[in-house]
Amino acid sequence: AQKITQTQPGMFVQEKEAVTLDCTYDTSDQSYGLFWYKQPSSGEMIFLIYQGSYDEQNATEGRYSLNFQKARKSANLVISASQLGDSAMYFCAMRENFGNEKLTFGTGTRLTIIP
Amino acid sequence: DSGVTQTPKHLITATGQRVTLRCSPRSGDLSVYWYQQSLDQGLQFLIQYYNGEERAKGNILERFSAQQFPDLHSELNLSSLELGDSALYFCASSAGAGVTYNEQFFGPGTRLTVL
């Protein structure tokens, strides 16, 4: 079974609008971490934001925020005031439990910002 | 710039050959991870080393091997290459292991093309 599901293969958003990228996950662990990475066309993976399973508040990093709904097992990324430079692939990833640092990635969402 | 370096940036080789990919982690990071990104498999974890020792193994083929040296740089060796090994290979590093928050910083990747 897929552990990280990103159901939006592609999205088009008008510049300056907010956008939500969906991510649902599946784990039986109580302790886990959720990450979002951005991959521009140049190929590098850029860390955006992290949410721990025990964090009570949603994580925020500048224009990025993570809408964490633990009961629904969702960790959606919200980008406010989108910019042309936000056009990229976005990957949701999960790290399960303390002893296993491997990241399991979703299939990604290709975001295109329209001027 | 994440601080993780990978060489070479591009590699073109033929089927049946052997190649070595090199990674230098961020200064002070003890953990090194290798990931493979291909069109059909997406982003997959291959292997993790922590302070010179293998810590976790993922979907790494027997034809592939890795090691981490005393200076903490790591090499991923790919042998008997097949067309399907063509992919973007990422190295990532993090400060430790077995902790709740262990952000992984990714290198720029090595794009391997097998002809």
Side-chain angles (χ1 to χ4, degrees):
Chain A
Q2 219 170 356
K3 294 205 169 185
I4 296 283
T5 304
Q6 294 181 255
T7 57
Q8 307 151 310
M11 289 188 70
F12 290 85
V13 171
Q14 206 75 37
E15 190 181 5
K16 295 182 185 148
E17 291 193 349
V19 55
T20 298
L21 305 182
D22 295 341
C23 172
T24 57
Y25 60 92
D26 182 29
T27 181
S28 55
D29 288 337
Q30 297 302 308
S31 175
Y32 51 89
L34 297 155
F35 300 77
W36 277 91
Y37 283 86
K38 171 184 178 181
Q39 187 177 38
S41 57
S42 51
E44 73 267 33
M45 295 288 286
I46 301 167
F47 166 75
L48 295 178
I49 197 165
Y50 166 83
Q51 180 84 41
S53 57
Y54 292 120
D55 294 342
E56 294 187 353
Q57 292 197 324
N58 287 341
T60 59
E61 288 286 348
R63 293 186 300 112
Y64 304 107
S65 60
L66 201 152
N67 184 0
F68 181 47
Q69 298 187 43
K70 195 170 181 176
R72 296 180 61 187
K73 292 189 175 178
S74 76
N76 298 338
L77 177 70
V78 180
I79 306 174
S80 63
S82 57
Q83 302 170 356
L84 295 179
D86 294 333
S87 293
M89 281 289 287
Y90 288 80
F91 291 94
C92 179
M94 177 172 65
R95 185 186 67 77
E96 293 177 282
N97 70 52
F98 288 107
N100 185 351
E101 279 85 43
K102 77 166 190 176
L103 292 178
T104 301
F105 286 87
T107 51
T109 296
R110 181 169 297 281
L111 176 65
T112 304
I113 306 299
I114 306 165
Chain B
D1 186 346
S2 67
V4 179
T5 60
Q6 289 186 250
T7 57
K9 195 170 176 61
H10 301 277
L11 199 47
I12 301 174
T13 188
T15 54
Q17 294 299 304
R18 174 190 170 93
V19 296
T20 297
L21 312 183
R22 183 187 168 101
C23 167
S24 293
R26 291 187 322 151
S27 176
D29 282 359
L30 298 178
S31 274
V32 168
Y33 312 77
W34 287 97
Y35 292 86
Q36 179 196 59
Q37 185 178 31
S38 62
L39 284 175
D40 52 346
Q41 299 288 332
L43 261 161
Q44 286 199 99
F45 167 76
L46 295 178
I47 197 164
Q48 177 198 1
Y49 277 82
Y50 175 72
N51 204 18
E53 300 289 326
E54 183 185 303
R55 182 169 173 88
K57 226 170 184 176
N59 299 323
I60 188 166
L61 300 171
E62 284 196 14
R63 300 183 285 109
F64 296 1
S65 65
Q67 54 184 325
Q68 187 179 28
F69 294 87
D71 66 352
L72 300 177
H73 90 271
S74 178
E75 293 181 356
L76 179 67
N77 300 296
L78 315 176
S79 61
S80 302
L81 285 168
E82 302 174 0
L83 296 177
D85 297 328
S86 295
L88 186 55
Y89 290 85
F90 285 108
C91 168
S93 75
S94 68
V99 295
T100 305
Y101 176 56
N102 204 20
E103 177 189 339
Q104 294 180 25
F105 295 88
F106 280 71
T110 292
R111 184 166 295 282
L112 174 66
T113 303
V114 182
L115 301 175

